[in-house]
């Protein structure tokens, strides 16, 4: 039983070690650009990947499952994958906890006006600002999947007034749920701090744009921890410069690393992190990956299965 590992972002040696502990019989092979050293392609039954080379996975006639090294699968293009092979996203409690921390940290940053206190500190100004109650702070999460629903529930536990928006209808205790195109304007109108945790699909690309930003109340803040192309960069800059949007925290960008001449770097109302909202950690992610390998070997499908037509 052999697994092909292919990623420019993830450490193969760490993955080799943790997988060896869970699945001692697994033959771990690391992709090399020329395809050398991976041995007989017929041996490969599993591919654990982030952004594999276009078409490369079609070379393995006995592939049983493609396992994503991340929660998002926009690094995989359906056209480049072998037909009929199940693809699973990563759902890892460690990844979920990391995203929860990121969302709570930045939500509280805007809620408690800590950016304004940092600026006042830099100017040696002593001034208390009015303190709002979480109960009166409306936070809206776009995407109520594994990460969005978790963040929504934990913000609710902090007694924020939380709403969420998804494709299909949802019921989450304490969260006002909107769905579909028809629910978007009402959801945005309700939202003072907007958190994007959508997958990147043709429907969600460019969803944070002039029109949707204008539907947020004056002074709203944006936290994008999903994918860069969810945001139309120039539209966001315009909304920040006009003052309609008070600030944005961006973890993800159209091009990563963010080019050094991009306007986001120097914008006074933007906080940046380098695609680090929640990083896949082999020590926790190995459990769901190993479980999926065992499931497939037992004749079951890996979970959660990606609908490549829907794009997530
Ligand atoms: P998920 O479980 O697949 O959830 C996706 C959610 O988005 C679902 O609620 C889905 O609605 C909703 N959605 C999809 N298309 C939609 C549309 N057209 N309109 C409205 N809602 C739509 O995904 P996840 O595990 O929570 O991860 C979300 C994303 O976070 C990933 O795709 C990835 O891009 C990003 N991420 C970023 C980092 C980072 O470090 N920055 C780390 C991990 C993940 P339904 O429930 O109705 O299907
Ligand atoms: C990270 O961006 C992921 O999709 O897990």
């Amino acid at each position: 039983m052999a697994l092909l590992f292919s990623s420019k972002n993830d450490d193969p040696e760490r993955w080799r070690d943790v997988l060896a502990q869970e699945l001692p019989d697994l033959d771990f092979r690391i992709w090399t650009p020329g395809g050398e050293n991976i041995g007989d392609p017929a041996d490969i039954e599993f591919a654990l990947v982030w952004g594999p080379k276009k078409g490369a996975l079609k070379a393995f006639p006995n592939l049983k499952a493609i396992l994503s090294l991340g929660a998002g699968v926009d690094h995989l293009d359906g056209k480049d994958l072998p037909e009929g092979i199940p693809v699973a996203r990563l759902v890892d409690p460690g990844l979920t906890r990391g995203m929860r921390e990121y969302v709570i940290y930045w939500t509280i940053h805007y809620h408690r006006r800590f950016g304004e206190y940092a600026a006042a500190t830099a100017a040696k100004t002593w001034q208390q600002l009015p303190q709002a109650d979480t109960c009166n702070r409306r936070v809206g999460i776009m995407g109520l999947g594994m990460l969005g629903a978790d963040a929504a529930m934990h913000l609710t536990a902090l007694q924020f007034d939380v709403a969420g928006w998804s494709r299909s209808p949802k019921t989450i205790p304490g969260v006002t749920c909107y769905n579909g195109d028809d629910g978007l304007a009402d959801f945005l109108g309700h939202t003072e701090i907007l958190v994007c945790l959508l997958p990147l699909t043709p429907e969600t690309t460019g969803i944070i744009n002039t029109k949707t930003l204008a539907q947020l109340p004056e002074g709203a803040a944006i936290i994008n921890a999903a994918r860069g192309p969810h945001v139309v960069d120039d539209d966001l800059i315009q909304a920040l410069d006009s003052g309609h949007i008070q600030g944005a925290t961006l973890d993800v960008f159209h091009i990563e690393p963010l080019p050094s001449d991009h306007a986001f770097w120097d914008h006074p109302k933007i906080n940046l992190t380098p695609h680090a909202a929640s990083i896949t950690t082999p020590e926790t992610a190995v459990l769901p990956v190993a479980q999926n390998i065992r499931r497939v070997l037992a004749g079951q499908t890996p979970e959660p299965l990606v609908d490549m037509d829907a794009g997530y």
Side-chain angles (χ1 to χ4, degrees), residues 119-162:
T121 303
K124 297 192 181 165
T125 303
W126 180 277
Q127 189 189 3
Q128 291 180 338
L129 299 168
Q131 184 173 314
D133 196 313
T134 52
C135 306
N136 300 320
R137 180 68 69 200
R138 293 172 289 150
V139 184
I141 317 270
M142 297 178 111
L144 288 174
M146 282 299 163
L147 302 179
D150 177 84
M153 286 186 292
H154 284 84
L155 289 167
T156 301
L158 292 172
Q159 294 184 297
F160 281 101
D161 177 354
V162 183

Side-chain angles (χ1 to χ4, degrees), residues 42 73 95 127 130 144 151 156-157 165 174 202 232-233 240 247 268 286-287 297 310:
V73 288
L95 193 74
Q127 189 189 3
L144 288 174
T156 301
W165 182 69
V232 179
D233 293 0
L240 289 164
V286 68
L287 294 177
L297 291 174

